[in-house]
Amino acid sequence: MAVSTAAAALRVAPVLPELQELWRLIDQGGDLVRARELTRISVAGGDLPVVAVTMGNPDPKVPGIGFVGGVHGLERIGAQVVLAFLGSLVRRMRWDLSLHQQLESLRLVFLPVVNPGGVLMASRANPAGVDLMRNAPQDAEHPVPFLVGGQRLSSRLPWYRGAVGAPLQPESDALCRLVREELLGRPISLTIDCHSGFGLHDRIWFPYARSRKPMRHLAEVHALCEVLDQCLSPHPYLMEPQSRHYLTHGDLWDHLYDESLTLDRGVFLPMTLEMGSWLWVKKNPRQLLSRHGMFNPLIEHRQRRVLRRHMSWLDFMTRAAQGAARWLPGPESRLDHGEQALIRWYRRRD
């Protein structure tokens, strides 16, 4: 869908601040951004579009990076972080020659609000009651936590996966199609999916969620982690496989990563930012009285601080994607990175 058409679609949608902000940024970006509607979601009062924005070089031979938010409707801060970063790029394009030069050799993909129906309803799930991050078809290799790991009992219970054999939900399908079309098969591509999660630390998770086995590109993840520690230190992030905490069925990023392996070309590294929401609750315990407050900073100045907190890392990841050829391990160092990664993340813990 063309920029003007996408903006018109957003104007007639039910009022959702995140979509209105996205429409404003699309307008500001003008000819330097491209927007297209991936699907529409029926909700009370009309339809909500799932809109992707792309910038930079579409050549499949250049690296790419995707920024995703709003998978879980309750976690609005994830969508807001992606929108804030997109907004900073749109404003910089007016004057920043280095950004224009960067975009000549990089593809940027944004999907800020994957689950607009869930955001509108203040629900983790989509309007059909499905948790999109439990919606992929694969099952975990070991037992998962009850309910939390994904369940098929009922859409009235949280973490519902959808019916056995049912197609992906339209929001999940839209995300997967976008990743396939824009990112998979490039020499190197990354994604950052922004969530809020319990805990006092900001964590960067990588696959697998379904298995405790290391991913094939563990050495590449370790090399990226090493560059992060060297170049953005001190930083607040703990990078680790999700399986260190719990296993789940149906993780979309596991699904897409495994699909990337079947292509046998390029490296695809999906990352999930889990912002530690207890940091906000600790400073304002009254947030626990609000379901929304358990997952989002409610005080305005704290929200602004959270948005600022992650801008440097998102910019770093953009640069890391562009310059990946200089840090990706070669044949002579890949084994060493793999061994260090096994020690760091997979050694037995007492």
Side-chain angles (χ1 to χ4, degrees):
M1 173 179 286
V3 174
S4 60
T5 310
L10 290 174
R11 286 191 183 95
V12 300
V15 176
L16 193 63
E18 288 82 358
L19 288 182
Q20 295 300 323
E21 172 66 7
L22 179 57
W23 162 70
R24 189 177 67 83
L25 294 175
I26 291 169
D27 268 4
Q28 285 185 4
D31 293 337
L32 296 175
V33 303
R34 292 290 181 269
R36 61 186 172 114
E37 182 182 300
L38 303 178
T39 189
R40 297 187 72 81
I41 307 301
S42 295
V43 295
D47 292 339
L48 288 169
V50 177
V51 176
V53 173
T54 53
M55 303 164 57
N57 192 340
D59 187 343
K61 296 179 182 178
V62 306
I65 182 167
F67 302 92
V68 176
V71 170
H72 294 137
L74 265 177
E75 302 169 18
R76 302 183 80 148
I77 189 63
Q80 292 161 2
V81 165
V82 176
L83 287 168
F85 186 57
L86 174 60
S88 72
L89 295 177
V90 167
R91 289 184 286 273
R92 282 172 54 197
M93 285 193 298
R94 302 172 186 168
W95 57 268
D96 191 343
L97 292 179
S98 66
L99 176 58
H100 285 268
Q101 293 168 351
Q102 183 182 46
L103 292 177
E104 292 175 0
S105 57
L106 182 67
R107 185 64 163 172
L108 298 183
V109 181
F110 294 85
L111 190 56
V113 191
V114 177
N115 181 12
V119 175
L120 185 69
M121 302 184 314
S123 166
R124 176 183 173 92
N126 72 350
V130 175
D131 186 326
L132 301 180
M133 209 40 72
R134 304 290 187 273
N135 187 219
Q138 77 278 355
D139 294 328
E141 296 179 358
H142 302 282
V144 302
F146 180 63
L147 296 183
V148 174
Q151 54 84 18
R152 297 195 190 275
L153 300 173
S154 171
S155 61
R156 296 183 180 182
L157 297 173
W159 301 288
Y160 179 58
R161 300 180 60 190
V164 176
L168 289 178
Q169 292 293 298
E171 301 94 336
S172 303
D173 181 65
L175 171 60
C176 291
R177 281 190 287 109
L178 181 69
V179 171
R180 289 187 195 108
E181 294 167 7
E182 291 285 352
L183 296 173
L184 295 192
R186 292 179 180 273
I188 174 72
S189 59
L190 298 89
T191 55
I192 298 172
D193 182 13
C194 297
H195 293 253
S196 61
F198 290 109
L200 291 172
H201 297 283
D202 295 327
R203 300 179 185 274
I204 303 169
W205 282 350
F206 56 85
Y208 283 109
R210 64 169 175 80
S211 173
R212 296 189 181 95
K213 297 176 182 177
M215 65 191 298
R216 183 186 298 180
H217 293 102
L218 188 66
E220 286 76 9
V221 172
H222 184 268
L224 175 59
C225 184
E226 192 173 75
V227 171
L228 172 65
D229 291 343
Q230 292 171 352
C231 301
L232 201 66
S233 183
H235 64 75
Y237 303 103
L238 297 175
M239 185 179 286
E240 59 191 359
Q242 181 178 336
S243 61
R244 292 193 73 171
H245 294 270
Y246 58 91
L247 300 183
T248 71
H249 302 301
D251 185 274
L252 290 174
W253 297 116
D254 281 10
H255 177 62
L256 285 163
Y257 175 71
D258 284 344
E259 184 174 323
S260 76
L261 299 181
T262 67
L263 299 176
D264 199 29
R265 66 178 189 273
V267 176
F268 175 57
L269 302 179
M271 307 282 171
T272 298
L273 170 62
E274 288 279 334
M275 292 173 271
S277 62
W278 281 112
L279 290 169
W280 318 320
V281 173
K282 181 180 178 181
K283 295 180 179 179
N284 182 24
R286 287 178 297 177
Q287 289 198 186
L288 286 173
L289 302 176
S290 162
R291 186 161 175 256
H292 188 73
M294 293 173 66
F295 299 95
N296 304 275
L298 298 184
I299 300 175
E300 184 177 353
H301 74 83
R302 196 158 290 140
Q303 181 187 32
R304 291 198 300 267
R305 189 177 304 154
V306 170
L307 298 180
R308 289 196 301 270
R309 178 185 179 94
H310 300 296
M311 291 302 104
S312 295
W313 177 64
L314 295 178
D315 182 65
F316 165 83
M317 292 295 285
T318 302
R319 296 173 184 273
Q322 182 189 20
R326 295 179 176 269
W327 58 259
L328 281 172
E332 69 287 347
S333 62
R334 196 171 189 276
L335 181 60
D336 183 53
H337 275 291
E339 291 176 346
Q340 291 183 57
L342 289 173
I343 294 171
R344 180 169 185 163
W345 291 312
Y346 291 91
R347 64 186 175 187
R348 183 183 296 275
R349 294 176 292 168
D350 296 331

